[in-house]
Amino acid sequence: MTRLFALALVVGVAGFAGCTGSAQVKVSTVKKAPKSKPTKEVVTASRSIGISNELLDQCMVKISNATDAPHFDFNEDDLLGDDRMVLDAVGKCVMSDGPLAGRSLQLVGRADPRGTQEYNLALGTKRAGVVTDYLARLGVTRDQLAPTTRGDIDASGRDETGWRGDRRVDITLMEDLKVSSR
């Protein structure tokens, strides 16, 4: 219950912070895409990025043997070269001329269980934000990107080797959503 409250608090604060000032809110048109059978399983694609099997298949993302490679370093949110190559492929795939043109992506920032829950949620938010910003610089519209955090909520590592796997951003297709182009 405490974790759920902390997650709601972080999301609420982030939403409030994003709504301050006199910025205009852009409303996008969303329509249903043809149903497919998405798999929610996430595969390690690079040091800091996990990608759903559906994205790997449809975007033809080539991954190296990154299973044992470190993900984000402890307390870090910097992308590495391998991460950028994977994100380049995913970005091209969901942009206007890619096979998943206009599809929306869920970006889930994660952390290992060390640190307070609030800190880990914030760190997961930063990591998802770094990936969101990188994809946006490539040309993916922000309407297609839904960053969020789970912090250490799903962390499974019990030692440094396991914790490395907990420090990542998972990218999956958002189910049944397609952003229409204007």
Side-chain angles (χ1 to χ4, degrees), residues 39-96:
T39 56
K40 295 292 183 185
E41 185 176 333
V42 174
V43 177
T44 301
S46 73
R47 297 172 191 251
S48 309
I49 306 297
I51 299 205
S52 70
N53 283 329
E54 184 179 16
L55 273 171
L56 285 174
D57 293 342
Q58 294 193 33
C59 296
M60 294 181 270
V61 176
K62 293 174 178 51
I63 60 174
S64 61
N65 183 9
T67 306
D68 297 323
H71 288 52
F72 285 100
D73 288 332
F74 181 69
N75 281 345
E76 294 295 327
D77 59 15
D78 297 326
L79 291 174
L80 304 171
D82 290 349
D83 305 331
R84 290 181 185 94
M85 290 188 309
V86 169
L87 293 174
D88 289 346
V90 170
K92 288 177 188 173
C93 186
V94 298
M95 287 193 288
S96 61

Side-chain angles (χ1 to χ4, degrees), residues 26 29 54 101 107 110 135 177-178:
K26 182 178 176 185
T29 306
E54 184 179 16
L107 308 156
R110 299 181 180 277
L135 290 169
L177 293 180
K178 183 171 181 165

Side-chain angles (χ1 to χ4, degrees), residues 18-45:
C19 292
T20 59
S22 61
Q24 294 180 350
V25 176
K26 182 178 176 185
V27 178
S28 63
T29 306
V30 178
K31 65 181 181 180
K32 295 273 186 180
K35 279 198 171 199
S36 60
K37 291 186 177 182
T39 56
K40 295 292 183 185
E41 185 176 333
V42 174
V43 177
T44 301

